[in-house]
Amino acid sequence: MKAVIFAGGFGTRLSEETALRPKPMVEIADRPILHHIMEMYAAHGINEFVVLGGYKVGFIKDYFLNYHWRKSDFTIDLSNGEILWSDKQALPWKVTVLDTGVDTMTGGRLKRARKVIGNETFCLTYGDGVSDVDITALIEFHKASGARATVTAVSPPGRFGVMGLSNDTPIVQSFREKDSADVGLINGGFFVCEPDVIDLVDGDATVWEQEPMNRLVEAGQLAAYRHAGFWQAMDTVRDRQVLEAAYAKGAPWLKHVK
């Protein structure tokens, strides 16, 4: 099974970082968030990836093309260019990086990858979010549901306190952190899809989260896997700081990684 990762957007809300590189290449600790996401899947036996690049895709290509020399010790003979790797850091991953166009929407990116994805069930997610979702259980849930696609439903992290106010006094009556009771569940990514969902994409201008997903809903073919554990997207500098702090405490999204 392949994991397909959206990695081509402009990331304008994180412009402090994405003016220089694509958002999936923004680092958490010493590795791009894209690498963290791939580690999550690899922990569940998924080692084949299709990265749907666009904006500044060259940074993603460079990372994987030069992974060995960045991560390994070596000796080079400058007389002939021969390289002896003394501590080669290898990963059992097969990574396909596609340039799906700078202005292509998410659905269009997926459609452009149709031949690479093939005719098997595949995982699909965004290149800017991590979670401790049990991907093995998610895939099993999808297969049991019989649906053409499954989305992971999560509660967004609380960012603002919820206040209880009275019309009779300006004094706050209560205060608590926002929770799922206030905003409900949202699309947390981490999809599992049958290959024919790509046929629901009209073209480059199609947004995956709009027409294709709405068509799945209308046909009763979109299942929801509820996840109550850790989930965090990286949309802003503050989100990156939250992820850095979580990594320092043990990186809950890597709890399955050995």
Side-chain angles (χ1 to χ4, degrees):
M1 183 178 287
K2 299 180 180 72
V4 181
I5 305 173
F6 289 123
F10 290 98
T12 52
R13 285 181 289 180
L14 193 60
S15 59
E16 297 89 341
E17 296 283 353
T18 56
L20 302 175
R21 52 187 168 174
K23 186 160 62 166
M25 295 306 294
V26 175
E27 293 182 348
I28 302 301
D30 61 345
R31 298 191 302 280
I33 190 170
L34 176 61
H35 191 116
H36 288 269
I37 294 166
M38 295 164 84
E39 283 186 302
M40 289 172 47
Y41 281 101
H44 292 269
I46 298 174
N47 294 318
E48 191 167 353
F49 303 94
V50 181
V51 181
L52 307 181
Y55 173 68
K56 296 187 180 295
V57 66
F59 282 80
I60 301 174
K61 291 181 176 180
D62 176 77
Y63 180 77
F64 291 107
L65 283 173
N66 297 299
Y67 184 82
H68 281 156
W69 74 259
R70 289 178 186 273
K71 299 294 183 180
S72 305
D73 295 334
F74 62 87
T75 300
I76 182 169
D77 186 336
L78 295 180
S79 66
N80 56 22
E82 181 181 349
I83 298 176
L84 175 64
W85 299 99
S86 55
D87 184 25
K88 192 172 184 180
Q89 299 294 313
L91 289 171
W93 299 355
K94 181 179 179 181
V95 182
T96 300
V97 181
L98 300 180
D99 184 351
T100 57
V102 174
D103 297 315
T104 308
M105 298 291 102
T106 47
R109 296 189 192 284
L110 188 60
K111 193 175 187 71
R112 288 194 181 202
R114 183 69 176 86
K115 290 183 179 179
V116 177
I117 293 171
N119 295 312
E120 63 177 0
T121 304
F122 63 96
C123 292
L124 174 67
T125 196
Y126 304 100
D128 63 354
V130 290
S131 173
D132 63 357
V133 59
D134 186 334
I135 292 171
T136 298
L138 167 63
I139 294 170
E140 292 173 351
F141 174 90
H142 169 75
K143 291 178 178 178
S145 74
R148 293 168 68 188
T150 296
V151 59
T152 299
V154 302
S155 298
R159 294 195 181 190
F160 307 101
V162 176
M163 295 185 293
L165 302 177
S166 168
N167 292 328
D168 301 323
T169 174
I171 304 302
V172 174
Q173 305 297 304
S174 63
F175 185 89
R176 61 179 172 79
E177 287 302 302
K178 181 178 69 175
D179 59 27
S180 59
D182 301 299
V183 295
L185 298 175
I186 64 169
N187 165 19
F190 300 103
F191 300 88
V192 183
C193 303
E194 298 305 314
D196 64 354
V197 300
I198 301 176
D199 298 333
L200 300 174
V201 177
D202 297 322
D204 281 358
T206 303
V207 177
W208 164 249
E209 299 81 6
Q210 294 180 6
E211 293 93 340
M213 287 187 66
N214 283 327
R215 289 167 181 166
L216 286 167
V217 171
E218 291 168 2
Q221 288 295 313
L222 180 64
Y225 178 82
R226 294 172 181 256
H227 175 62
F230 178 88
W231 178 90
Q232 179 67 56
M234 187 179 65
D235 289 326
T236 66
V237 172
R238 178 189 180 279
D239 291 335
R240 184 189 180 191
Q241 293 168 344
V242 168
L243 286 168
E244 288 277 7
Y247 183 88
K249 295 178 180 179
W253 61 89
L254 297 180
K255 72 178 185 179
H256 297 291
V257 177
K258 297 180 180 179

